[in-house]
Amino acid sequence: MTNELIAITLLWGFIFIYAVMATMDFGAGFWSMVYMNREKTKATNIANRYLSPTWEVTNVFIVAIVVALFSFFPGATFLLGTVLLIPGSIILLLLAIRSAFLVFAHIAKEYKKALTYISGISGIIIPALLISVLPITHGGFIETVDGVARLRMDKLFTSPHEYAFIGFAISSTLFLSSLLLADYSNAANELEAYQIYRRDALILGPISLLMALFIMLTMQNEAAWLYKRMMNYFPWIIGSIAMFFVAGIALFLPSTKHTTVRGRPRLAVVAIVVQYFFASYAYGKAHLPYMIYPDVTIQSGFTHPNTFRALFISYIVGFVILFPGFIYFWRLFMKDKRYLQQNDPS
């Protein structure tokens, strides 16, 4: 495996981990907003309990993505940074607003509802903007005028391909988060909240699958080169769809923990993560060697080999130190009965 492939694999790993964690995080904020006024259910309490310890950890990975992209592929970073200056600034602003309001919502009790609405709405807008980077890398939206690259915003936001990705981002955010919150509710013995989030997952799962199919349909016309390459990895796509149905079946199986409800949400969560892994692998492999079609490849945008080796060692050492902490955090978060079953202090 070449240095370029090692670097892009590491970057892809960061993006995949962040995509899964962030969609669950952003979606939990939205569900907290949706069920905030339903006093007879603890669905909002469950969402808040999930949000409290996770949104800080999730932000670690977006920092890792930016640093890895800038360090390993400065050529691609320069072009992306130039054309994404405005949308990237909007994303950073929304992330800052959401993070601040998540904190203030727990401190300024009199403004809790307003702050929760703002953080919930921004949590849905952010994934839609983040995923917009993908169709941009497919080509056709960047033009060079007098040696300066610029993004054709008019062309981007009149493209069905762009809206297919936005629809997929929003539906996946709500689907993944509702599925994880169902699992979290089940672990916390909050059966009423579990039934609510299980129902939401059953509704949003098929919608997210339809949006994925819509992406493939629009890709045929707007990124034919990528569509043809993805067909070379068709078994991975079939495997992805199969894992989706495994997750659906898991939500109807008899529960091993409670006799009054149906579903094995932990199995469903694992199956869906594997589903997204298969799909993202097929997409990523088909996209290579292009980072931004047709201008930047992983070879043309790569850093100096000596710089790569030093950075790669630094990343390995850093994650050897951090990874046990993440595992310990997750075990505390998902298995600490005192935290799982606590009442919302508000």
Side-chain angles (χ1 to χ4, degrees):
M1 184 179 285
T2 63
N3 290 343
E4 294 87 350
L5 283 176
I6 294 172
I8 199 66
T9 301
L10 183 64
L11 180 61
W12 174 83
F14 289 157
I15 293 173
F16 179 76
I17 293 171
Y18 177 75
V20 173
M21 291 185 65
T23 52
M24 294 176 177
D25 177 34
F26 292 140
F30 180 81
W31 293 124
S32 175
M33 177 190 72
V34 168
Y35 294 118
M36 182 171 53
N37 295 321
R38 298 192 184 184
E39 297 178 358
K40 293 182 180 180
T41 177
K42 294 184 178 180
T44 289
N45 297 353
I46 288 290
N48 286 334
R49 259 184 258 165
Y50 176 80
L51 277 170
S52 295
T54 55
W55 65 273
E56 300 97 330
V57 177
T58 303
N59 288 335
V60 171
F61 287 94
I62 196 169
V63 173
I65 291 169
V66 174
V67 173
L69 181 62
F70 180 78
S71 304
F72 293 148
F73 300 100
T77 306
F78 176 78
L79 182 57
L80 282 174
T82 301
V83 300
L84 295 178
L85 180 61
I86 294 176
S89 299
I90 295 173
I91 292 170
L92 288 175
L93 179 62
L94 288 173
L95 283 171
I97 290 173
R98 181 174 183 271
S99 299
F101 284 9
L102 281 172
V103 174
F104 294 148
H106 293 284
I107 299 174
K109 300 297 183 183
E110 64 273 22
Y111 300 110
K112 182 175 181 179
K113 286 190 176 182
L115 295 174
T116 302
Y117 275 117
I118 295 173
S119 61
I121 293 171
S122 63
I124 289 298
I125 297 173
I126 292 169
L129 291 175
L130 284 172
I131 206 169
S132 297
V133 176
L134 294 183
I136 291 172
T137 65
H138 297 171
F141 300 110
I142 299 174
E143 68 175 9
T144 303
V145 180
D146 296 330
V148 178
R150 69 182 186 92
L151 179 63
R152 288 284 308 275
M153 299 288 287
D154 57 333
K155 190 174 180 180
L156 178 66
F157 287 105
T158 55
S159 165
H161 199 42
E162 165 72 2
Y163 290 105
F165 271 95
I166 289 176
F168 178 73
I170 294 173
S171 60
S172 292
T173 296
L174 299 180
F175 172 51
L176 281 168
S177 58
S178 60
L179 194 58
L180 184 73
L181 289 172
D183 180 37
Y184 193 60
S185 303
N186 188 57
N189 295 317
E190 299 285 0
L191 298 186
E192 187 179 2
Y194 166 71
Q195 294 279 43
I196 291 172
Y197 287 123
R198 175 181 175 272
R199 177 203 64 199
D200 293 336
L202 288 172
I203 294 171
L204 289 160
I207 294 175
S208 65
L209 183 62
L210 288 174
M211 294 310 302
L213 293 175
F214 185 38
I215 286 176
M216 297 301 294
L217 289 174
T218 56
M219 188 182 291
Q220 284 184 289
N221 296 324
E222 300 199 30
W225 69 274
L226 183 57
Y227 178 83
K228 291 177 182 177
R229 288 167 176 255
M230 286 194 69
M231 290 300 101
N232 295 331
Y233 299 94
F234 192 68
W236 288 89
I237 298 174
I238 294 298
S240 176
I241 296 173
M243 293 310 297
F244 173 82
F245 286 105
V246 169
I249 293 170
L251 290 176
F252 287 98
L253 292 175
S255 175
T256 57
K257 188 174 182 180
H258 305 288
T259 58
T260 57
V261 297
R262 299 184 68 83
R264 299 184 186 181
R266 185 65 54 85
L267 175 61
V269 169
V270 173
I272 289 300
V273 171
V274 174
Q275 177 210 353
Y276 277 75
F277 176 84
F278 285 169
S280 62
Y281 177 83
Y283 174 84
K285 287 287 288 183
H287 209 292
L288 289 177
Y290 299 103
M291 295 190 71
I292 306 169
Y293 182 86
D295 303 305
V296 181
T297 65
I298 58 173
Q299 290 82 14
S300 65
F302 195 60
T303 188
H304 192 277
N306 293 336
T307 303
F308 163 73
R309 284 189 284 270
L311 289 169
F312 184 71
I313 292 171
S314 300
Y315 269 102
I316 295 300
V317 172
F319 272 85
V320 166
I321 296 171
L322 290 175
F323 192 72
F326 288 137
I327 298 297
Y328 182 64
F329 163 81
W330 186 257
R331 287 178 63 87
L332 285 176
F333 172 53
M334 290 298 290
K335 295 187 177 182
D336 189 330
K337 299 299 182 183
R338 293 170 299 175
Y339 183 76
L340 284 171
Q341 298 177 2
Q342 70 179 348
N343 292 320
D344 188 18
S346 62

